[in-house]
Amino acid sequence: MTSLADEARLVLDNFTDRTSHLLHPTLRLGVTGLSRAGKTVFITALVHNLLHEGRLPMFRAKADGRILGTYLEEQPDDAVPRFQYEDHIRTILEDRAWPQSTRAISELRLTIDFESASTWRRMLPGGRLSIDIVDYPGEWLLDLPLIDKDFRAFSTEAIERARLPSRREVAREYLALIDRTDLEAKADEPTVQALKAAFAGYLQACRQDRTALSTLPPGRFLMPGDLEGSPALSFAPLPVEKGKNYPKGSLAALMARRYEAYKSVVVKPFFREHFARLDRQILLVDALQAINAGPEAVADLETALTDILACFRPGRSSWLASFLTRRIDKILVAATKADHLHRDSHRRLEAIVRRLVDDATKRARFSGARTEVLAMAAVRATREASVEENGETLPLIVGTPAAGERIGDESFDGKSETGIFPGDLPADPAALFKADGELAAGAIQFVRFRPPRLERSAEGVTLSLPHIRLDRALEFLIGDRLT
Ligand SMILES: Nc1nc2c(ncn2[C@@H]2O[C@H](COP(=O)(O)OP(=O)(O)OP(=O)(O)O)[C@@H](O)[C@H]2O)c(=O)[nH]1
Ligand SMILES: [Mg+2]
């Protein structure tokens, strides 16, 4: 029998639970980006700068001295691995290397105690905001657009893409195989496996290829996670005909069933558990890599981003709509790795990225969300300099190129600092979107730099990781929740 005191406790607990939720709001920040866009580095740098007194002049709460404390807390989801912040930051600071490409999902909760900006609210106990962030392999993002596509739509698109002039060669084995496969024949596992292997091999080859193509679903064919070898991952697109009924047990019927299984076992839970619950979103775009690879890669990046963003503003009848319970009210589109360019080019980079996501952000659902575009570097690996040449001042960036990087005939050893003239982005972004645009592939000097050596202040204090506009990003994404 519960005593009166116990019951009172229960009531009180429930009450404090509810009120603490009121006093202790949380914000789910979606860090969205294709593979290698810079998600893991961004999350690591954001946490590091907040935990270690980073230089964040444009982040108001910080600049006003209203942040009382920042700490990592237990994450809300028990079944998701923790984001290994400590390992990642050690890799960056001590090894001066970048974290490995992400192979599985992970999560982190960062809590900020702050003092309110308004005088009368300062009478109340200080505010507290917890930010939940999820990191995942960028390849998986390619799956979101599959949710609303049936097997035939997926197949048609995939095969059309494989037949593009730039891809036809790497897709040859897969295309030849589907040509000689009888879709109505009884399905047998070796045939299924051979088709899957040929298709996955083609996707992998596209990725390796310098053309840096972005539209390569299904994402788990590139980064399987723990589902490798399962039936849900053993299928391939087939040239199925419209309106035709393939007999039960046929190859086409089996592949279609497995594709649906992939959607329900892999894609839908990923969307439901992580994307449907976001409050705010930062979309990281590595435009420089695509620009460097040429107009086709740029167009491809545009398609991929448009398809992905479309999932956040689905039509009413769509499966997606039923799960989007929260509404994202702010989206920051960040052109990452801006430290590869001189400051003079940052406006141009922003204009290019604005144009890349233009279609996607203009459409309906987003009209309610505030969108901003920013050239940013979560970790600034270079500094700026200039040289005089023929009476002209040329802007340079100076950094330590990673071992094995090359510019022309010169190859770098990963130890010495070098000044590089990064090249000019076109003033008119349209130049990048035309196949015969003025900017030829390789016009931008793009080498990978090692993370910077941390400098010490005059007092001998090691400074936190340098960045470009990370403070502006923070202000846009969470500033209004700290007032
Ligand atoms: N110079 C510079 N390079 C960066 C920055 N952010 C990312 N990079 C480079 O981009 C690479 C990819 O960054 P990640 O953070 O691992 O990218 P990701 O989005 O997590 O990629 P996946 O885990 O593969 O999905 C790094 O290895 C760095 O070479 C940055 O702020 N500055
Ligand atoms: Mg990552």
Side-chain angles (χ1 to χ4, degrees):
M1 200 182 112
T2 49
S3 70
L4 212 64
D6 276 348
E7 281 190 5
R9 274 286 293 277
L10 261 175
V11 173
L12 189 68
D13 277 357
N14 276 337
F15 177 73
T16 36
D17 224 39
R18 246 177 287 145
T19 45
S20 81
H21 194 76
L22 285 178
L23 289 174
H24 184 169
T26 61
L27 185 147
R28 244 181 125 83
L29 175 65
V31 179
T32 307
L34 295 170
S35 64
R36 317 313 287 147
K39 299 179 292 299
T40 305
V41 171
F42 171 78
I43 300 168
T44 307
L46 178 150
V47 172
H48 173 81
N49 274 280
L50 285 173
L51 290 183
H52 296 278
E53 301 295 309
R55 244 184 60 77
L56 304 167
M58 301 305 283
F59 182 41
R60 288 286 301 282
K62 175 86 196 161
D64 295 351
R66 290 191 291 104
I67 295 201
L68 306 172
T70 310
Y71 42 93
L72 297 175
E73 266 194 319
E74 181 125 327
Q75 64 192 48
D77 300 295
D78 287 330
V80 179
R82 180 176 176 278
F83 179 79
Q84 291 304 330
Y85 163 72
E86 294 80 3
D87 294 347
H88 295 321
I89 197 70
R90 198 177 318 117
T91 306
I92 294 177
L93 295 181
E94 288 174 21
D95 308 341
R96 286 186 65 204
W98 301 104
Q100 298 261 316
S101 198
T102 307
R103 308 191 71 85
I105 197 156
S106 64
E107 180 182 49
L108 193 73
R109 168 171 281 192
L110 177 80
T111 299
I112 302 177
D113 286 341
F114 63 95
E115 195 169 67
S116 174
S118 71
T119 334
W120 70 267
R121 278 171 66 186
R122 257 186 242 157
M123 315 275 281
L124 299 169
R128 175 175 292 179
L129 177 71
S130 286
I131 305 162
D132 294 325
I133 312 176
V134 169
D135 191 28
Y136 54 88
E139 288 85 352
W140 296 3
L141 200 59
L142 299 172
D143 285 339
L144 296 191
L146 297 185
I147 291 177
D148 275 340
K149 284 180 194 147
D150 62 9
F151 181 61
R152 204 183 74 82
F154 157 69
S155 291
T156 311
E157 266 185 35
I159 294 169
E160 253 169 37
R161 282 185 189 139
R163 291 199 172 122
L164 287 173
S166 57
R167 294 186 178 194
R168 207 181 298 150
E169 199 41 45
V170 267
R172 194 163 43 157
E173 191 198 326
Y174 161 70
L175 291 172
L177 197 55
I178 55 173
D179 272 350
R180 55 170 197 270
T181 301
D182 177 3
L183 306 191
E184 287 171 272
K186 192 170 172 321
D188 67 305
E189 204 54 32
T191 311
V192 172
Q193 292 301 336
L195 281 158
K196 146 87 200 250
F199 181 67
Y202 141 70
L203 293 182
Q204 297 278 5
C206 279
R207 252 271 292 260
Q208 303 300 321
D209 201 19
R210 295 267 303 140
T211 45
L213 300 156
S214 315
T215 46
L216 303 166
R220 301 273 173 147
F221 283 24
L222 297 166
M223 187 62 83
D226 52 7
L227 288 169
E228 177 101 81
S230 64
L233 256 64
S234 306
F235 66 94
L238 292 176
V240 283
E241 286 167 43
K242 190 175 180 179
K244 184 160 175 172
N245 237 338
Y246 291 89
K248 201 158 176 265
S250 68
L251 187 70
L254 176 102
M255 291 288 210
R257 196 198 67 72
R258 289 196 178 172
Y259 168 79
E260 291 304 327
Y262 181 79
K263 278 170 38 182
S264 52
V265 176
V266 174
V267 194
K268 290 184 176 180
F270 185 49
F271 183 83
R272 203 166 47 218
E273 283 154 32
H274 303 293
F275 292 96
R277 296 158 62 197
L278 300 179
D279 299 299
R280 302 244 157 118
Q281 178 151 217
I282 176 167
L283 175 67
L284 303 173
V285 183
D286 181 358
L288 293 169
Q289 200 200 359
I291 293 168
N292 210 31
E296 194 182 334
V298 174
D300 212 60
L301 177 61
E302 185 181 23
T303 309
L305 294 175
T306 309
D307 286 358
I308 289 161
L309 288 180
C311 297
F312 294 95
R313 43 153 195 76
R316 250 170 240 271
S317 61
S318 133
W319 179 90
L320 291 155
S322 57
F323 283 96
L324 280 175
T325 43
R326 302 199 199 183
R327 225 198 53 177
I328 296 174
D329 60 348
K330 280 180 156 191
I331 302 175
L332 181 66
V333 181
T336 54
K337 311 181 194 177
D339 57 331
H340 285 87
L341 295 172
H342 194 272
R343 179 177 352 144
D344 298 349
S345 295
H346 289 177
R347 287 272 165 271
R348 290 186 176 185
L349 180 63
E350 284 172 1
I352 290 164
V353 168
R354 192 170 291 120
R355 157 99 197 227
L356 266 175
V357 297
D358 205 26
D359 258 4
T361 47
K362 238 192 308 197
R363 286 185 220 164
R365 266 278 181 133
F366 281 142
S367 50
R370 249 187 79 199
T371 307
E372 215 166 275
V373 177
L374 198 67
M376 185 190 80
V379 173
R380 177 180 194 161
T382 66
R383 57 196 159 77
E384 292 175 344
S386 59
V387 285
E388 298 289 326
E389 209 175 271
N390 306 329
E392 237 192 303
T393 312
L394 289 180
L396 290 182
I397 52 169
V398 181
T400 311
E405 289 293 295
R406 313 180 64 92
I407 292 184
D409 300 335
E410 194 177 358
S411 125
F412 299 97
D413 62 1
K415 297 199 178 85
S416 33
E417 269 206 338
T418 315
I420 289 168
F421 174 60
D424 274 329
L425 290 174
D428 177 10
L432 296 170
F433 295 80
K434 292 186 291 223
D436 57 350
E438 65 188 60
L439 197 86
I444 309 291
Q445 301 273 17
F446 188 84
V447 295
R448 275 186 329 118
F449 292 99
R450 291 181 63 188
R453 200 185 297 283
L454 285 202
E455 297 189 356
R456 283 172 190 276
S457 70
E459 296 81 36
V461 181
T462 308
L463 301 175
S464 58
L465 267 175
H467 60 82
I468 298 174
R469 299 192 192 95
L470 183 64
D471 50 346
R472 276 183 197 272
L474 275 168
E475 180 61 26
F476 180 81
L477 291 168
I478 59 172
D480 61 327
R481 300 290 297 267
L482 300 173
T483 54

